[in-house]
Amino acid sequence: MGDPIALFERARAGDRRALARMLSLLEEGGEAAARLSAHLFPYTGNAYVIGITGPPGSGKSTLVNALARAYRDRGETVGIIAVDPTSPFTGGALLGDRIRMQDVAMDPGVFIRSMATRGSLGGLARATQEVLRALDAVGFQRILVETVGAGQVEVDIARAADTVVVVQAPGLGDDIQAIKAGILEIADILVVNKADREGAAATLHILRSMLSLGQPAVIRHHGQTMAIQRVEPATEGWTPPILQTVALSGQGIPELVEAIERHRVYLEQSGEGEARRRRRVAEELAARVRERLWARIAQRVGRARLDGLVDQLVRREIDFSTAVEQLLEGLG
Ligand SMILES: Nc1nc2c(ncn2[C@@H]2O[C@H](COP(=O)(O)OP(=O)(O)OP(=O)(O)O)[C@@H](O)[C@H]2O)c(=O)[nH]1
Ligand SMILES: [Mg+2]
């Protein structure tokens, strides 16, 4: 029971409770988690990951529910990760997600996991990656990751997907302020959800003009908030389509499924998919090394001495290079 490898085997065989326990173990971290993570790593890399991000209340969960149903209709299994950066585990948002996803929650081909921040946001990003890989390893074919596109970490989590769907809704994203947070530049597909609501056309129009990236004049005209060039230049060959959906009724969902498939084919044929995967692996490797090294240094040097160095920096008694040298001294 306690053996994490045995847990993995049971989860792979379809035991949902074993899977849930395995995910909790991975989230907790520590030695058993590291062993488990290493063990399942060779089994990963098969799932197709779709990130769904956008402002609170734009209809992400409803959309995830509708997408999951569409994939189930095609006979595919679906893992869902709902990342909530602020609510505690017992919070309302989680409950809300459960209710909104109730439809698919009863289906054995669907597994839903909600994640909440415990500790740092960086910890959340790492835990999400672990959970994602675990769902991949046990064989879920599609993994849908929902995050609120509020801060850098949420954006980073979404960016780790193969296809990133950015959701807007009328009244939420009508002004450019609401759309600025680096969110458009990660979109492979844009969705104006709640197309049944008033103002959908206006939102669509704003998004269209914001995405007319071929025209730098537009960007300069609006200053910094309009700096929406895509972060990844290698995706130049893909123009993000802008779709309209009514997630509640399912309107526009087949078109969204099709757009995701087109993006998938694009990623494959252009080599961009492989390039993205490499880039993500390299980024995660660097992040993990940084984290470990910093932990080692902080432990070796001790809180008091670290604080002392910060004090000295604040008072300009030493400079950063000197402080870094002192910290790295004797690290080997
Ligand atoms: N009119 C209309 N309402 C919708 C549509 N899609 C979702 N809603 C409603 O909008 C509200 C928010 O939907 P959610 O799916 O929870 O939105 P969310 O983006 O997941 O919200 P958070 O996770 O809290 O950020 C719910 O009351 C939904 O029923 C739609 O297409 N049209
Ligand atoms: Mg939600």
Side-chain angles (χ1 to χ4, degrees):
M1 195 70 177
D3 179 14
I5 310 297
L7 216 51
F8 171 61
E9 289 308 329
R10 278 170 41 208
R12 251 170 83 78
D15 181 338
R16 287 311 162 81
R17 285 178 66 178
L19 176 57
R21 286 202 46 198
M22 189 177 106
L23 299 184
S24 299
L25 205 136
L26 286 169
E27 278 188 273
E28 275 160 31
E31 207 198 305
R35 209 150 53 84
L36 180 55
S37 176
H39 179 78
L40 59 80
F41 192 63
Y43 296 89
T44 64
N46 301 308
Y48 197 80
V49 183
I50 300 159
I52 313 281
T53 192
S58 50
K60 299 179 296 298
S61 296
T62 315
L63 211 56
V64 163
N65 184 81
L67 271 179
R69 209 180 320 137
Y71 290 131
R72 289 301 294 138
D73 287 345
R74 293 158 47 131
E76 294 177 296
T77 53
V78 182
I80 296 171
I81 304 177
V83 181
D84 188 290
T86 48
S87 302
F89 261 110
T90 50
L94 191 149
L95 214 65
D97 280 338
R98 281 269 163 199
I99 290 163
R100 240 142 266 151
M101 292 175 185
Q102 213 168 33
D103 216 37
V104 288
M106 307 308 288
D107 180 340
V110 175
F111 185 88
I112 303 176
R113 182 76 176 188
S114 287
M115 317 258 319
T117 326
R118 289 173 304 173
S120 68
L121 280 170
L124 178 69
R126 199 182 335 98
T128 303
Q129 277 312 312
E130 292 292 349
V131 166
L132 206 156
R133 273 198 283 265
L135 292 179
D136 183 354
V138 301
F140 286 99
Q141 292 162 299
R142 299 272 170 172
I143 300 179
L144 307 175
V145 184
E146 175 190 338
T147 71
V148 176
Q152 191 55 49
V153 171
E154 296 85 52
V155 169
D156 283 347
I157 290 171
R159 217 165 62 93
D162 295 304
T163 296
V164 179
V165 178
V166 172
V167 185
Q168 300 287 341
L172 296 167
D174 279 10
D175 83 275
I176 282 152
Q177 284 306 109
I179 314 180
K180 71 171 181 185
I183 199 78
L184 281 193
E185 60 197 57
I186 64 161
D188 297 310
I189 296 166
L190 271 149
V191 168
V192 177
N193 187 43
K194 306 194 185 185
D196 54 326
R197 289 265 183 92
E198 209 181 315
T203 304
L204 196 71
H205 177 74
I206 288 170
L207 287 176
R208 283 221 177 100
S209 51
M210 284 181 85
L211 274 173
S212 315
L213 289 183
Q215 299 148 22
V218 176
I219 293 163
R220 266 186 237 116
H221 176 69
H222 286 279
Q224 277 185 340
T225 51
M226 289 294 280
I228 50 171
Q229 270 114 331
R230 295 175 65 82
V231 171
E232 300 166 36
T235 53
E236 268 164 15
W238 174 261
T239 307
I242 309 177
L243 309 177
Q244 284 180 279
T245 58
V246 183
L248 272 180
S249 72
Q251 189 187 317
I253 299 302
E255 288 79 1
L256 176 55
V257 167
E258 201 216 295
I260 293 170
E261 285 322 287
R262 264 190 289 126
H263 186 244
R264 180 186 194 160
V265 168
Y266 160 77
L267 287 178
E268 246 166 54
Q269 292 181 349
S270 65
E272 174 59 19
E274 191 54 37
R276 275 192 187 191
R277 279 172 191 247
R278 274 195 74 87
R279 199 155 48 223
R280 282 199 304 263
V281 165
E283 278 171 14
E284 185 170 344
L285 180 63
R288 279 169 175 253
V289 169
R290 262 197 309 273
E291 202 176 302
R292 279 281 290 278
L293 268 183
W294 176 250
R296 246 168 83 183
I297 290 167
Q299 198 194 7
R300 176 181 300 236
V301 172
R303 184 83 256 165
R305 176 120 187 274
L306 264 184
D307 284 344
L309 276 176
V310 172
D311 286 341
Q312 283 181 291
L313 280 165
V314 169
R315 292 196 296 261
R316 305 293 190 270
E317 289 167 9
I318 55 170
D319 67 308
F320 276 102
S321 306
T322 311
V324 169
E325 286 309 323
Q326 287 191 20
L327 285 177
L328 291 179
E329 229 164 64
L331 195 70

